[in-house]
Amino acid sequence: MKNLFKSGDIFLWFTGAVLGMIMFLVAGLLLIVSLQGVGVFWPGSVAEVELKDGRRFAGEIMQEENIPLTNVPDAYKEEVQTRIQIKTGNRDIYGLDFKWLNTYDIASLQYPDDFVIIERREFGNFYGRVASISENGTIIASGAQATETLDQFLRKALDVHDEQLHLEKGEGGRINRAIEDTRLEIKRLKFYKEDTPELLSSLEAEIHRLQEAYQGIQKQLETLHLKTSGMYVSVITTDGQTRDLPVSKIVRFYQPNTMNTFEKSGFYISKIFEYLTDEPRESNTEGGVFPAIFGTVLMVFLMNLVVVPFGVVAALYLREYAKQGIAVRLIRIAVNNLAGVPSIVFGIFGLGFFVYFCGGTIDQLFYPDRLPTPTWGTGGILWASLTLSLLTVPVVIVATEEALTTVPKGVRDASLALGATKWQTTWRVVIPASTPGILTGVILAMARGAGEVAPLMITGVVKLAPNLPLDGSFPFFHLDRKFMHLGFHIYDVGFQSPNVEAAKPMVFMTALLLITIVLLLNLTAIIVRARLRKKYQGSAF
């Protein structure tokens, strides 16, 4: 044992074991998130369950677990008993989406082919059998033909919905923005006392014209609504209740019990595509997360635009130009300690300095006519990005300083001996050689910035943003707008949703997506770093 300690082999084994344990925990975390997230959109079969007391339930079996022996009746204690969690849907009827059923209470369990799952824009999925299709009170089809007719009606309803959406967000949005701009112009003229009766009359006439145009849009929307408002599908639940569902409120329907693997794969891909490209529904628990993906990536991009130059320049000064002494050592200690400050503290600082002070000052100087309604003096993606830049800049400074120290002194001396100035040596020799190390700091900064939520909650992120920070209206980039973020989406859906069980799959899927985006961003930086490292290894150094 003494020789073991003396040789150091035991410490080698200890460090290896610690590393292995960390890798195991990380892999376990990724495995759990992946297993829970990957299968969210796979269409599960619908089971019809009849209990011994005559009650009937239908839905997807989500999980099965053993029942504690103390909760099992004496008559069933001889064997291990289980219970299943079934997603019954039909929230507007039962109030909840899920129900636990003891297997010893089940009389029969079947998978009938005629069961359908109907995805709705409100109240979640509906499980039942299609009884009939009606239009304006007249039954169009029933029985086996009803499903085929429902497919035709749904295609028409989806086309109308897309047309309504295009009209609302396109022409309707443009008119609303024009009305708001004209209203602000009137306010500005009155504030600077530049208003004249003729000018005000002209602008008010313009607003009146725009409002009339918007009423025209409203009439078009009503006309489109009437095309599908009379279409209903009558669905019977497994316990015999009948509900008439408006076709215009249906997103899709499918019969999972009749689908083969190929059809289920196609359905799965279409759901993934919808998740990545569509907007959220049902308080973010259904639909897509495209606004959150866009907001997360844009925020990281803006953060890097600030944190990289500031971090690199600060590290260059500290390592290359500053006179080493107590002051520099104190600054380094402060930078290192800054990396350990809780992120919510940065959020409070960002709220006070960037939002209230900087944004409020901008409003006072450039938009006094719009006050007390703030323009920049409220949360937005710019202020959130700057707050995260402050949060991550110590990481870049420390990594850059470490990278600068790796450049051999002989290389610097050779450059100076050839007549290069200090700046030329730094710009043309030191920085290129330390770029791979700088990119390591950028990778770490991106990873931390993309996953932070606390500072964003008070500097600009929201549950649902009606508009993206980038769109087709001038000036195209709207950095004062609030935005959605994947990390906040996970928090909101997982902890603020009134229906936690229904939201759980979306939490795992969004977590998996956030991890994937961070990996892709880091992978891009790693590839660039590897190419730079290869380039400078093959150079004169």
Side-chain angles (χ1 to χ4, degrees):
M1 182 61 73
K2 184 177 179 181
N3 291 332
L4 197 61
F5 275 97
K6 188 175 180 180
S7 63
D9 290 344
I10 191 169
F11 297 106
L12 177 63
W13 283 103
F14 177 72
T15 54
V18 170
L19 177 62
M21 186 171 63
I22 293 172
M23 296 299 293
F24 175 77
L25 292 175
V26 172
L29 172 67
L30 294 177
L31 182 64
I32 291 173
V33 173
S34 300
L35 290 177
Q36 295 287 337
V38 167
V40 167
F41 298 125
W42 185 261
S45 300
V46 178
E48 187 175 32
V49 181
E50 182 177 4
L51 301 184
K52 293 175 181 176
D53 59 4
R55 289 183 297 160
R56 302 171 72 91
F57 299 94
E60 300 169 74
I61 297 176
M62 306 305 292
Q63 58 179 316
E64 184 175 1
E65 65 180 25
N66 293 335
I67 305 174
L69 195 60
T70 54
N71 296 338
V72 178
D74 294 338
Y76 301 102
K77 282 188 175 178
E78 293 181 357
E79 298 179 357
V80 175
Q81 300 296 333
T82 60
R83 59 187 175 191
I84 57 173
Q85 186 190 42
I86 185 169
K87 184 179 180 181
T88 57
N90 306 357
R91 193 184 309 155
D92 45 339
I93 297 178
Y94 305 130
L96 295 173
D97 289 275
F98 295 86
K99 188 170 184 61
W100 285 97
L101 300 176
N102 299 324
T103 52
Y104 56 77
D105 289 332
I106 296 176
S108 66
L109 192 152
Q110 299 175 340
Y111 294 91
D113 291 343
D114 58 345
F115 252 95
V116 297
I117 299 178
I118 299 176
E119 282 188 30
R120 300 180 290 178
R121 301 191 190 280
E122 297 173 349
F123 301 112
N125 291 352
F126 197 95
Y127 297 78
R129 293 181 172 89
V130 176
S132 63
I133 304 294
S134 63
E135 185 172 16
N136 298 325
T138 304
I139 295 179
I140 304 298
S142 60
Q145 294 181 341
T147 306
E148 185 178 343
T149 307
L150 175 59
D151 185 53
Q152 296 172 2
F153 274 29
L154 184 58
R155 289 174 188 273
K156 182 179 178 181
L158 291 176
D159 289 342
V160 169
H161 179 265
D162 290 343
E163 199 172 345
Q164 287 175 316
L165 205 63
H166 178 73
L167 201 58
E168 281 179 348
K169 292 200 168 184
E171 188 65 13
R174 187 190 65 77
I175 292 175
N176 273 327
R177 283 193 296 273
I179 292 175
E180 180 64 14
D181 290 343
T182 311
R183 188 186 65 79
L184 291 174
E185 177 63 14
I186 292 175
K187 197 173 180 181
R188 188 189 70 80
L189 291 173
K190 289 181 177 178
F191 180 82
Y192 289 109
K193 301 186 183 307
E194 297 175 353
D195 55 319
T196 61
E198 295 78 13
L199 195 54
L200 289 179
S201 177
S202 172
L203 292 173
E204 287 171 357
E206 177 66 11
I207 290 178
H208 183 68
R209 187 190 66 79
L210 290 169
Q211 288 175 339
E212 286 184 341
Y214 190 76
Q215 288 175 1
I217 297 292
Q218 292 285 356
K219 288 180 180 177
Q220 292 183 49
L221 291 173
E222 290 174 7
T223 304
L224 288 171
H225 175 68
L226 291 175
K227 287 184 178 179
T228 56
S229 61
M231 298 179 179
Y232 282 87
V233 53
S234 183
V235 187
I236 303 175
T237 64
T238 187
D239 56 356
Q241 301 187 55
T242 303
R243 284 289 184 278
D244 291 331
L245 309 178
V247 178
S248 59
K249 299 296 182 184
I250 296 175
V251 178
R252 65 167 60 83
F253 80 98
Y254 54 100
Q255 295 175 286
N257 293 353
T258 62
M259 296 168 70
N260 55 35
T261 304
F262 179 76
E263 290 171 332
K264 287 187 176 183
S265 300
F267 178 87
Y268 181 79
I269 293 171
S270 69
K271 287 286 289 183
I272 292 288
F273 181 77
E274 179 195 25
Y275 177 73
L276 295 176
T277 59
D278 210 345
E279 295 185 352
R281 306 191 309 267
E282 291 258 13
S283 300
N284 292 342
T285 59
E286 299 284 348
V289 292
F290 176 73
I293 296 174
F294 188 88
T296 304
V297 174
L298 181 60
M299 185 204 67
V300 172
F301 177 74
L302 292 174
M303 181 193 77
N304 278 334
L305 281 183
V306 178
V307 75
V308 172
F310 273 86
V312 171
V313 169
L316 267 177
Y317 182 79
L318 285 174
R319 179 57 58 183
E320 300 293 328
Y321 292 99
K323 183 179 180 181
Q324 304 300 313
I326 294 177
V328 171
R329 285 201 294 273
L330 289 176
I331 290 173
R332 286 201 178 96
I333 292 171
V335 169
N336 291 331
N337 287 335
L338 201 63
V341 174
S343 58
I344 189 63
V345 176
F346 285 96
I348 294 170
F349 176 81
L351 178 68
F353 180 72
F354 292 124
V355 178
Y356 290 154
F357 178 72
C358 297
T361 304
I362 291 173
D363 283 347
Q364 292 283 349
L365 293 175
F366 300 102
Y367 304 97
D369 50 304
R370 299 184 183 183
L371 293 174
T373 303
T375 303
W376 288 92
T378 183
I381 191 169
L382 177 62
W383 304 138
S385 301
L386 291 176
T387 303
L388 284 187
S389 301
L390 198 63
L391 175 72
T392 54
V393 75
V395 178
V396 178
I397 291 175
V398 172
T400 303
E401 273 209 270
E402 292 298 325
L404 293 173
T405 58
T406 61
V407 180
K409 185 175 182 300
V411 174
R412 301 167 191 261
D413 292 341
S415 176
L416 294 172
L418 290 173
T421 64
K422 175 75 174 176
W423 166 245
Q424 288 173 326
T425 300
T426 302
W427 180 250
R428 296 182 180 276
V429 177
V430 177
I431 292 180
S434 56
T435 301
I438 296 172
L439 284 176
T440 300
V442 175
I443 292 169
L444 294 174
M446 281 196 300
R448 184 172 184 190
E452 283 292 345
V453 175
L456 304 180
M457 294 170 66
I458 51 179
T459 55
V461 78
V462 289
K463 176 186 178 75
L464 188 62
N467 297 303
L468 296 176
L470 174 65
D471 60 19
S473 60
F474 186 80
F476 310 115
F477 274 103
H478 306 277
L479 300 182
D480 57 322
R481 284 183 182 172
K482 292 180 170 53
F483 68 106
M484 295 180 68
H485 183 269
L486 285 172
F488 183 77
H489 187 272
I490 295 171
Y491 164 77
D492 176 62
V493 175
F495 298 97
Q496 302 296 312
S497 173
N499 194 346
V500 176
E501 283 291 337
K504 195 162 62 175
M506 188 64 84
V507 171
F508 282 109
M509 189 64 202
T510 308
L512 181 62
L513 177 62
L514 180 58
I515 292 172
T516 305
I517 289 177
V518 172
L519 286 176
L520 288 175
L521 291 172
N522 288 349
L523 187 63
T524 304
I526 289 170
I527 292 173
V528 174
R529 183 181 63 181
R531 289 186 177 180
L532 288 173
R533 186 172 289 164
K534 184 178 179 181
K535 175 182 177 181
Y536 290 112
Q537 279 179 346
S539 65
F541 299 118

